[in-house]
Amino acid sequence: MNNFLVTGGAGFIGSNLVLALQARYPDSQIVVIDDFRSGDFSRLNGFAGDLVAANLARLDLNERFGETAFDAVFHQASVTDTRVDDQFALIHDNVEGFRRVLDYAELRRVPVVYASSASVYGIGQTQAIEEGTPPEPANAYAFSKVQLDNLARIRSYRSPEWRVVGVRCFNAYGPGESHKGPMASMIYQLYRQMIAGRRPRIFPDGEQRRDFVFIEDVVALTIQALQAPESRVYNCGSGESISFNEIIAVLNESLGVSLASEFIDNPYPFFQPYTEADLTLSRLQLGYEPTWSPQRGIREYVKRLQNQG
Ligand SMILES: NC(=O)c1ccc[n+]([C@@H]2O[C@H](COP(=O)([O-])OP(=O)(O)OC[C@H]3O[C@@H](n4cnc5c(N)ncnc54)[C@H](O)[C@@H]3O)[C@@H](O)[C@H]2O)c1
């Protein structure tokens, strides 16, 4: 396996994936498609493959790639700003971009691993969430991801011998996310506030809990998903939830400061107060084992951020 197509490869997860594939398979041919709406060229420093700068939702993959024999497609491209108001623009590009990937790959039986999202589980969860939990999208972004899952399921029924595997990532964090600005992880944003000497700003009362997963684990599961025994979605998390108060405590300790939280009103009705990935299926069927607990991952991330200045 050495010929990969990665959509959204200039983004946070996509670029980490591309660089990991390149390191793991030095002879690989990697093609990246990205339109840089939220990605950044600097994320692909060191990339030695072919970059197609285009909006996937309008790209004719047959015309561009013809019979190029890809061994796998990793689909990461997506509008990732969950606050976008233009529902048509968001849903159109997310769903139609994926449809084009599926049309191209299904015909050639090229396995597809695509980015779904834990946002599909909505705001009503109180315990570890299994993949079979009915989706309750609370914003247009999450709704678009439910459509990706529906489309993948419909196509995989039609072509049962072909693999279309969804990765439901929880809150990813780690090196390579700084270009996301306000959409970067809360861990990164709180770190930025605290190294500037400012009090970390969170929503009251800081006891909301999230499953934060380190980027290396996300990349590992995404690659592993190519070996999935069936077409379906898999959770990708650390398997633990951590509260915002606990994150701030770890950051205070790692930075050697003691900044108290400042509570600000939450303007987002779709804010998820509790997420935690049930990893039973990912462990069983993909052999996935997260290597970074949130606490260890945050300490490591701070070290790496400080090393890079
Ligand atoms: N980061 C997370 O915590 C998280 C959690 C769940 C799911 N995801 C999913 O993982 C994927 C990667 O997210 P990320 O955090 O790396 O975000 P990102 O914004 O850094 O990456 C998305 C990339 O896709 C590109 N893109 C978007 N629409 C495109 C289009 N129509 N054509 C071509 N390129 C396009 C952007 O320019 C960007 O480079 C996304 O599908 C996202 O929904 C991320």
Side-chain angles (χ1 to χ4, degrees), residues 131 165-167 220-230 232-236 279-289:
E131 290 87 344
V165 178
V167 174
L221 183 142
T222 302
I223 296 175
Q224 200 53 32
L226 271 183
Q227 312 303 327
E230 52 182 320
R232 52 160 309 128
V233 292
Y234 293 92
N235 282 340
C236 177
L279 297 177
T280 310
L281 202 68
S282 303
R283 285 191 164 105
L284 195 70
Q285 294 198 348
L286 302 181
Y288 169 69
E289 196 54 55

PDB file of all heavy atoms in Angstrom, residues 131 165-167 220-230 232-236 279-289:
ATOM      1  N   GLU A 131     -20.929   3.886  19.505  1.00  0.00           N
ATOM      2  CA  GLU A 131     -21.185   4.285  18.118  1.00  0.00           C
ATOM      3  C   GLU A 131     -22.649   4.115  17.720  1.00  0.00           C
ATOM      4  O   GLU A 131     -23.148   4.828  16.848  1.00  0.00           O
ATOM      5  CB  GLU A 131     -20.310   3.468  17.150  1.00  0.00           C
ATOM      6  CG  GLU A 131     -18.830   3.792  17.200  1.00  0.00           C
ATOM      7  CD  GLU A 131     -18.071   3.008  18.258  1.00  0.00           C
ATOM      8  OE1 GLU A 131     -18.702   2.427  19.163  1.00  0.00           O
ATOM      9  OE2 GLU A 131     -16.820   2.968  18.184  1.00  0.00           O
ATOM     10  N   VAL A 165     -14.998   3.560   5.903  1.00  0.00           N
ATOM     11  CA  VAL A 165     -14.916   3.517   7.363  1.00  0.00           C
ATOM     12  C   VAL A 165     -14.873   4.942   7.904  1.00  0.00           C
ATOM     13  O   VAL A 165     -14.066   5.769   7.471  1.00  0.00           O
ATOM     14  CB  VAL A 165     -13.640   2.741   7.791  1.00  0.00           C
ATOM     15  CG1 VAL A 165     -13.509   2.715   9.307  1.00  0.00           C
ATOM     16  CG2 VAL A 165     -13.679   1.325   7.225  1.00  0.00           C
ATOM     17  N   GLY A 166     -15.756   5.222   8.864  1.00  0.00           N
ATOM     18  CA  GLY A 166     -15.815   6.557   9.462  1.00  0.00           C
ATOM     19  C   GLY A 166     -15.065   6.607  10.778  1.00  0.00           C
ATOM     20  O   GLY A 166     -15.081   5.636  11.548  1.00  0.00           O
ATOM     21  N   VAL A 167     -14.398   7.724  11.012  1.00  0.00           N
ATOM     22  CA  VAL A 167     -13.693   7.930  12.283  1.00  0.00           C
ATOM     23  C   VAL A 167     -14.408   9.054  13.026  1.00  0.00           C
ATOM     24  O   VAL A 167     -14.460  10.189  12.544  1.00  0.00           O
ATOM     25  CB  VAL A 167     -12.212   8.303  12.037  1.00  0.00           C
ATOM     26  CG1 VAL A 167     -11.520   8.655  13.351  1.00  0.00           C
ATOM     27  CG2 VAL A 167     -11.488   7.152  11.342  1.00  0.00           C
ATOM     28  N   ALA A 220      -2.943   7.448  14.449  1.00  0.00           N
ATOM     29  CA  ALA A 220      -2.776   5.985  14.543  1.00  0.00           C
ATOM     30  C   ALA A 220      -4.100   5.287  14.234  1.00  0.00           C
ATOM     31  O   ALA A 220      -4.139   4.332  13.441  1.00  0.00           O
ATOM     32  CB  ALA A 220      -2.276   5.604  15.934  1.00  0.00           C
ATOM     33  N   LEU A 221      -5.188   5.758  14.840  1.00  0.00           N
ATOM     34  CA  LEU A 221      -6.478   5.080  14.592  1.00  0.00           C
ATOM     35  C   LEU A 221      -6.906   5.247  13.134  1.00  0.00           C
ATOM     36  O   LEU A 221      -7.422   4.321  12.513  1.00  0.00           O
ATOM     37  CB  LEU A 221      -7.569   5.597  15.525  1.00  0.00           C
ATOM     38  CG  LEU A 221      -8.916   4.869  15.369  1.00  0.00           C
ATOM     39  CD1 LEU A 221      -9.593   4.676  16.723  1.00  0.00           C
ATOM     40  CD2 LEU A 221      -9.858   5.578  14.413  1.00  0.00           C
ATOM     41  N   THR A 222      -6.658   6.431  12.579  1.00  0.00           N
ATOM     42  CA  THR A 222      -7.087   6.690  11.195  1.00  0.00           C
ATOM     43  C   THR A 222      -6.386   5.717  10.233  1.00  0.00           C
ATOM     44  O   THR A 222      -7.012   5.155   9.323  1.00  0.00           O
ATOM     45  CB  THR A 222      -6.796   8.161  10.825  1.00  0.00           C
ATOM     46  OG1 THR A 222      -7.485   9.002  11.749  1.00  0.00           O
ATOM     47  CG2 THR A 222      -7.243   8.488   9.426  1.00  0.00           C
ATOM     48  N   ILE A 223      -5.103   5.513  10.431  1.00  0.00           N
ATOM     49  CA  ILE A 223      -4.374   4.579   9.552  1.00  0.00           C
ATOM     50  C   ILE A 223      -4.854   3.140   9.815  1.00  0.00           C
ATOM     51  O   ILE A 223      -5.077   2.360   8.891  1.00  0.00           O
ATOM     52  CB  ILE A 223      -2.850   4.720   9.750  1.00  0.00           C
ATOM     53  CG1 ILE A 223      -2.401   6.128   9.324  1.00  0.00           C
ATOM     54  CG2 ILE A 223      -2.104   3.650   8.947  1.00  0.00           C
ATOM     55  CD1 ILE A 223      -0.940   6.450   9.584  1.00  0.00           C
ATOM     56  N   GLN A 224      -5.043   2.844  11.099  1.00  0.00           N
ATOM     57  CA  GLN A 224      -5.488   1.498  11.475  1.00  0.00           C
ATOM     58  C   GLN A 224      -6.865   1.184  10.888  1.00  0.00           C
ATOM     59  O   GLN A 224      -7.174   0.035  10.596  1.00  0.00           O
ATOM     60  CB  GLN A 224      -5.521   1.424  13.012  1.00  0.00           C
ATOM     61  CG  GLN A 224      -5.491   0.033  13.583  1.00  0.00           C
ATOM     62  CD  GLN A 224      -4.343  -0.805  13.056  1.00  0.00           C
ATOM     63  OE1 GLN A 224      -3.258  -0.292  12.747  1.00  0.00           O
ATOM     64  NE2 GLN A 224      -4.594  -2.101  12.895  1.00  0.00           N
ATOM     65  N   ALA A 225      -7.678   2.237  10.692  1.00  0.00           N
ATOM     66  CA  ALA A 225      -9.051   2.048  10.197  1.00  0.00           C
ATOM     67  C   ALA A 225      -9.074   1.418   8.803  1.00  0.00           C
ATOM     68  O   ALA A 225     -10.086   0.858   8.386  1.00  0.00           O
ATOM     69  CB  ALA A 225      -9.796   3.384  10.198  1.00  0.00           C
ATOM     70  N   LEU A 226      -7.956   1.499   8.099  1.00  0.00           N
ATOM     71  CA  LEU A 226      -7.876   0.844   6.785  1.00  0.00           C
ATOM     72  C   LEU A 226      -8.028  -0.673   6.914  1.00  0.00           C
ATOM     73  O   LEU A 226      -8.379  -1.346   5.955  1.00  0.00           O
ATOM     74  CB  LEU A 226      -6.512   1.125   6.142  1.00  0.00           C
ATOM     75  CG  LEU A 226      -6.367   2.369   5.294  1.00  0.00           C
ATOM     76  CD1 LEU A 226      -4.974   2.409   4.694  1.00  0.00           C
ATOM     77  CD2 LEU A 226      -7.429   2.392   4.187  1.00  0.00           C
ATOM     78  N   GLN A 227      -7.697  -1.192   8.096  1.00  0.00           N
ATOM     79  CA  GLN A 227      -7.789  -2.651   8.309  1.00  0.00           C
ATOM     80  C   GLN A 227      -9.133  -3.053   8.900  1.00  0.00           C
ATOM     81  O   GLN A 227      -9.311  -4.187   9.328  1.00  0.00           O
ATOM     82  CB  GLN A 227      -6.684  -3.122   9.288  1.00  0.00           C
ATOM     83  CG  GLN A 227      -5.290  -2.608   8.998  1.00  0.00           C
ATOM     84  CD  GLN A 227      -4.824  -2.977   7.600  1.00  0.00           C
ATOM     85  OE1 GLN A 227      -5.182  -4.030   7.076  1.00  0.00           O
ATOM     86  NE2 GLN A 227      -4.035  -2.095   6.986  1.00  0.00           N
ATOM     87  N   ALA A 228     -10.093  -2.134   8.950  1.00  0.00           N
ATOM     88  CA  ALA A 228     -11.384  -2.446   9.577  1.00  0.00           C
ATOM     89  C   ALA A 228     -12.025  -3.655   8.912  1.00  0.00           C
ATOM     90  O   ALA A 228     -12.022  -3.762   7.678  1.00  0.00           O
ATOM     91  CB  ALA A 228     -12.316  -1.243   9.469  1.00  0.00           C
ATOM     92  N   PRO A 229     -12.592  -4.570   9.703  1.00  0.00           N
ATOM     93  CA  PRO A 229     -13.200  -5.769   9.113  1.00  0.00           C
ATOM     94  C   PRO A 229     -14.539  -5.496   8.450  1.00  0.00           C
ATOM     95  O   PRO A 229     -15.073  -6.347   7.755  1.00  0.00           O
ATOM     96  CB  PRO A 229     -13.375  -6.687  10.332  1.00  0.00           C
ATOM     97  CG  PRO A 229     -13.453  -5.768  11.509  1.00  0.00           C
ATOM     98  CD  PRO A 229     -12.615  -4.572  11.171  1.00  0.00           C
ATOM     99  N   GLU A 230     -15.128  -4.317   8.717  1.00  0.00           N
ATOM    100  CA  GLU A 230     -16.418  -3.996   8.082  1.00  0.00           C
ATOM    101  C   GLU A 230     -16.511  -2.498   7.860  1.00  0.00           C
ATOM    102  O   GLU A 230     -15.757  -1.727   8.461  1.00  0.00           O
ATOM    103  CB  GLU A 230     -17.590  -4.485   8.941  1.00  0.00           C
ATOM    104  CG  GLU A 230     -17.519  -4.011  10.372  1.00  0.00           C
ATOM    105  CD  GLU A 230     -18.670  -4.537  11.230  1.00  0.00           C
ATOM    106  OE1 GLU A 230     -19.798  -4.579  10.724  1.00  0.00           O
ATOM    107  OE2 GLU A 230     -18.428  -4.889  12.396  1.00  0.00           O
ATOM    108  N   ARG A 232     -18.078   0.743   8.713  1.00  0.00           N
ATOM    109  CA  ARG A 232     -18.865   1.290   9.811  1.00  0.00           C
ATOM    110  C   ARG A 232     -18.109   2.460  10.433  1.00  0.00           C
ATOM    111  O   ARG A 232     -17.020   2.793   9.965  1.00  0.00           O
ATOM    112  CB  ARG A 232     -19.164   0.231  10.872  1.00  0.00           C
ATOM    113  CG  ARG A 232     -17.933  -0.528  11.383  1.00  0.00           C
ATOM    114  CD  ARG A 232     -18.236  -1.148  12.713  1.00  0.00           C
ATOM    115  NE  ARG A 232     -18.792  -0.128  13.566  1.00  0.00           N
ATOM    116  CZ  ARG A 232     -19.934  -0.232  14.248  1.00  0.00           C
ATOM    117  NH1 ARG A 232     -20.622  -1.326  14.218  1.00  0.00           N
ATOM    118  NH2 ARG A 232     -20.365   0.772  14.981  1.00  0.00           N
ATOM    119  N   VAL A 233     -18.668   3.067  11.470  1.00  0.00           N
ATOM    120  CA  VAL A 233     -17.948   4.160  12.125  1.00  0.00           C
ATOM    121  C   VAL A 233     -17.325   3.665  13.430  1.00  0.00           C
ATOM    122  O   VAL A 233     -17.854   2.756  14.082  1.00  0.00           O
ATOM    123  CB  VAL A 233     -18.850   5.386  12.428  1.00  0.00           C
ATOM    124  CG1 VAL A 233     -19.277   6.074  11.156  1.00  0.00           C
ATOM    125  CG2 VAL A 233     -20.032   4.998  13.280  1.00  0.00           C
ATOM    126  N   TYR A 234     -16.194   4.278  13.780  1.00  0.00           N
ATOM    127  CA  TYR A 234     -15.483   3.932  15.013  1.00  0.00           C
ATOM    128  C   TYR A 234     -15.182   5.205  15.804  1.00  0.00           C
ATOM    129  O   TYR A 234     -14.752   6.216  15.221  1.00  0.00           O
ATOM    130  CB  TYR A 234     -14.144   3.254  14.695  1.00  0.00           C
ATOM    131  CG  TYR A 234     -14.292   1.899  14.062  1.00  0.00           C
ATOM    132  CD1 TYR A 234     -14.323   1.766  12.673  1.00  0.00           C
ATOM    133  CD2 TYR A 234     -14.416   0.754  14.838  1.00  0.00           C
ATOM    134  CE1 TYR A 234     -14.473   0.518  12.075  1.00  0.00           C
ATOM    135  CE2 TYR A 234     -14.567  -0.503  14.251  1.00  0.00           C
ATOM    136  CZ  TYR A 234     -14.594  -0.609  12.874  1.00  0.00           C
ATOM    137  OH  TYR A 234     -14.748  -1.847  12.284  1.00  0.00           O
ATOM    138  N   ASN A 235     -15.377   5.129  17.108  1.00  0.00           N
ATOM    139  CA  ASN A 235     -15.004   6.248  17.972  1.00  0.00           C
ATOM    140  C   ASN A 235     -13.495   6.380  18.055  1.00  0.00           C
ATOM    141  O   ASN A 235     -12.766   5.383  18.089  1.00  0.00           O
ATOM    142  CB  ASN A 235     -15.534   6.034  19.395  1.00  0.00           C
ATOM    143  CG  ASN A 235     -17.004   6.351  19.512  1.00  0.00           C
ATOM    144  OD1 ASN A 235     -17.559   7.064  18.672  1.00  0.00           O
ATOM    145  ND2 ASN A 235     -17.646   5.847  20.550  1.00  0.00           N
ATOM    146  N   CYS A 236     -13.037   7.633  18.128  1.00  0.00           N
ATOM    147  CA  CYS A 236     -11.607   7.901  18.309  1.00  0.00           C
ATOM    148  C   CYS A 236     -11.472   8.926  19.426  1.00  0.00           C
ATOM    149  O   CYS A 236     -11.730  10.121  19.227  1.00  0.00           O
ATOM    150  CB  CYS A 236     -11.020   8.442  17.005  1.00  0.00           C
ATOM    151  SG  CYS A 236      -9.295   8.890  17.153  1.00  0.00           S
ATOM    152  N   LEU A 279     -14.676   3.056  23.756  1.00  0.00           N
ATOM    153  CA  LEU A 279     -13.706   2.562  22.767  1.00  0.00           C
ATOM    154  C   LEU A 279     -13.775   1.052  22.550  1.00  0.00           C
ATOM    155  O   LEU A 279     -12.893   0.476  21.906  1.00  0.00           O
ATOM    156  CB  LEU A 279     -12.276   2.959  23.198  1.00  0.00           C
ATOM    157  CG  LEU A 279     -12.008   4.466  23.263  1.00  0.00           C
ATOM    158  CD1 LEU A 279     -10.587   4.725  23.778  1.00  0.00           C
ATOM    159  CD2 LEU A 279     -12.185   5.110  21.890  1.00  0.00           C
ATOM    160  N   THR A 280     -14.821   0.426  23.102  1.00  0.00           N
ATOM    161  CA  THR A 280     -14.890  -1.047  23.030  1.00  0.00           C
ATOM    162  C   THR A 280     -14.684  -1.557  21.601  1.00  0.00           C
ATOM    163  O   THR A 280     -13.849  -2.425  21.340  1.00  0.00           O
ATOM    164  CB  THR A 280     -16.260  -1.535  23.566  1.00  0.00           C
ATOM    165  OG1 THR A 280     -16.472  -0.919  24.831  1.00  0.00           O
ATOM    166  CG2 THR A 280     -16.292  -3.044  23.709  1.00  0.00           C
ATOM    167  N   LEU A 281     -15.440  -0.973  20.672  1.00  0.00           N
ATOM    168  CA  LEU A 281     -15.408  -1.452  19.288  1.00  0.00           C
ATOM    169  C   LEU A 281     -14.064  -1.128  18.610  1.00  0.00           C
ATOM    170  O   LEU A 281     -13.508  -1.955  17.878  1.00  0.00           O
ATOM    171  CB  LEU A 281     -16.542  -0.764  18.519  1.00  0.00           C
ATOM    172  CG  LEU A 281     -17.005  -1.452  17.271  1.00  0.00           C
ATOM    173  CD1 LEU A 281     -17.695  -2.767  17.609  1.00  0.00           C
ATOM    174  CD2 LEU A 281     -17.974  -0.538  16.523  1.00  0.00           C
ATOM    175  N   SER A 282     -13.536   0.068  18.861  1.00  0.00           N
ATOM    176  CA  SER A 282     -12.264   0.459  18.235  1.00  0.00           C
ATOM    177  C   SER A 282     -11.132  -0.438  18.749  1.00  0.00           C
ATOM    178  O   SER A 282     -10.217  -0.789  18.005  1.00  0.00           O
ATOM    179  CB  SER A 282     -11.943   1.923  18.551  1.00  0.00           C
ATOM    180  OG  SER A 282     -12.988   2.750  18.127  1.00  0.00           O
ATOM    181  N   ARG A 283     -11.213  -0.784  20.028  1.00  0.00           N
ATOM    182  CA  ARG A 283     -10.187  -1.678  20.589  1.00  0.00           C
ATOM    183  C   ARG A 283     -10.314  -3.062  19.970  1.00  0.00           C
ATOM    184  O   ARG A 283      -9.326  -3.655  19.522  1.00  0.00           O
ATOM    185  CB  ARG A 283     -10.366  -1.802  22.114  1.00  0.00           C
ATOM    186  CG  ARG A 283      -9.901  -0.581  22.882  1.00  0.00           C
ATOM    187  CD  ARG A 283      -9.861  -0.892  24.386  1.00  0.00           C
ATOM    188  NE  ARG A 283      -9.085   0.108  25.079  1.00  0.00           N
ATOM    189  CZ  ARG A 283      -9.610   1.089  25.844  1.00  0.00           C
ATOM    190  NH1 ARG A 283     -10.898   1.164  26.035  1.00  0.00           N
ATOM    191  NH2 ARG A 283      -8.819   1.956  26.430  1.00  0.00           N
ATOM    192  N   LEU A 284     -11.537  -3.564  19.940  1.00  0.00           N
ATOM    193  CA  LEU A 284     -11.787  -4.932  19.492  1.00  0.00           C
ATOM    194  C   LEU A 284     -11.497  -5.113  18.008  1.00  0.00           C
ATOM    195  O   LEU A 284     -10.817  -6.052  17.603  1.00  0.00           O
ATOM    196  CB  LEU A 284     -13.265  -5.259  19.770  1.00  0.00           C
ATOM    197  CG  LEU A 284     -13.673  -6.705  19.727  1.00  0.00           C
ATOM    198  CD1 LEU A 284     -13.072  -7.448  20.912  1.00  0.00           C
ATOM    199  CD2 LEU A 284     -15.209  -6.806  19.762  1.00  0.00           C
ATOM    200  N   GLN A 285     -12.020  -4.186  17.187  1.00  0.00           N
ATOM    201  CA  GLN A 285     -11.952  -4.412  15.733  1.00  0.00           C
ATOM    202  C   GLN A 285     -10.749  -3.736  15.067  1.00  0.00           C
ATOM    203  O   GLN A 285     -10.340  -4.140  13.998  1.00  0.00           O
ATOM    204  CB  GLN A 285     -13.240  -3.929  15.067  1.00  0.00           C
ATOM    205  CG  GLN A 285     -14.453  -4.760  15.500  1.00  0.00           C
ATOM    206  CD  GLN A 285     -15.639  -4.608  14.562  1.00  0.00           C
ATOM    207  OE1 GLN A 285     -15.675  -3.746  13.711  1.00  0.00           O
ATOM    208  NE2 GLN A 285     -16.631  -5.466  14.731  1.00  0.00           N
ATOM    209  N   LEU A 286     -10.206  -2.691  15.708  1.00  0.00           N
ATOM    210  CA  LEU A 286      -9.071  -1.997  15.073  1.00  0.00           C
ATOM    211  C   LEU A 286      -7.776  -2.200  15.848  1.00  0.00           C
ATOM    212  O   LEU A 286      -6.713  -1.770  15.398  1.00  0.00           O
ATOM    213  CB  LEU A 286      -9.358  -0.491  14.970  1.00  0.00           C
ATOM    214  CG  LEU A 286     -10.606  -0.058  14.192  1.00  0.00           C
ATOM    215  CD1 LEU A 286     -10.724   1.456  14.163  1.00  0.00           C
ATOM    216  CD2 LEU A 286     -10.573  -0.615  12.775  1.00  0.00           C
ATOM    217  N   GLY A 287      -7.883  -2.807  17.025  1.00  0.00           N
ATOM    218  CA  GLY A 287      -6.685  -2.965  17.858  1.00  0.00           C
ATOM    219  C   GLY A 287      -6.168  -1.624  18.356  1.00  0.00           C
ATOM    220  O   GLY A 287      -4.993  -1.464  18.685  1.00  0.00           O
ATOM    221  N   TYR A 288      -7.081  -0.632  18.428  1.00  0.00           N
ATOM    222  CA  TYR A 288      -6.678   0.716  18.867  1.00  0.00           C
ATOM    223  C   TYR A 288      -6.499   0.759  20.375  1.00  0.00           C
ATOM    224  O   TYR A 288      -7.327   0.242  21.114  1.00  0.00           O
ATOM    225  CB  TYR A 288      -7.766   1.706  18.439  1.00  0.00           C
ATOM    226  CG  TYR A 288      -7.652   3.097  19.035  1.00  0.00           C
ATOM    227  CD1 TYR A 288      -6.622   3.948  18.663  1.00  0.00           C
ATOM    228  CD2 TYR A 288      -8.595   3.564  19.953  1.00  0.00           C
ATOM    229  CE1 TYR A 288      -6.538   5.235  19.197  1.00  0.00           C
ATOM    230  CE2 TYR A 288      -8.514   4.843  20.483  1.00  0.00           C
ATOM    231  CZ  TYR A 288      -7.483   5.671  20.103  1.00  0.00           C
ATOM    232  OH  TYR A 288      -7.391   6.936  20.630  1.00  0.00           O
ATOM    233  N   GLU A 289      -5.421   1.377  20.815  1.00  0.00           N
ATOM    234  CA  GLU A 289      -5.211   1.619  22.240  1.00  0.00           C
ATOM    235  C   GLU A 289      -4.629   3.016  22.378  1.00  0.00           C
ATOM    236  O   GLU A 289      -3.512   3.277  21.930  1.00  0.00           O
ATOM    237  CB  GLU A 289      -4.252   0.566  22.814  1.00  0.00           C
ATOM    238  CG  GLU A 289      -4.262   0.479  24.328  1.00  0.00           C
ATOM    239  CD  GLU A 289      -5.667   0.274  24.922  1.00  0.00           C
ATOM    240  OE1 GLU A 289      -6.366  -0.691  24.542  1.00  0.00           O
ATOM    241  OE2 GLU A 289      -6.063   1.122  25.731  1.00  0.00           O
TER     242      GLU A 289
END
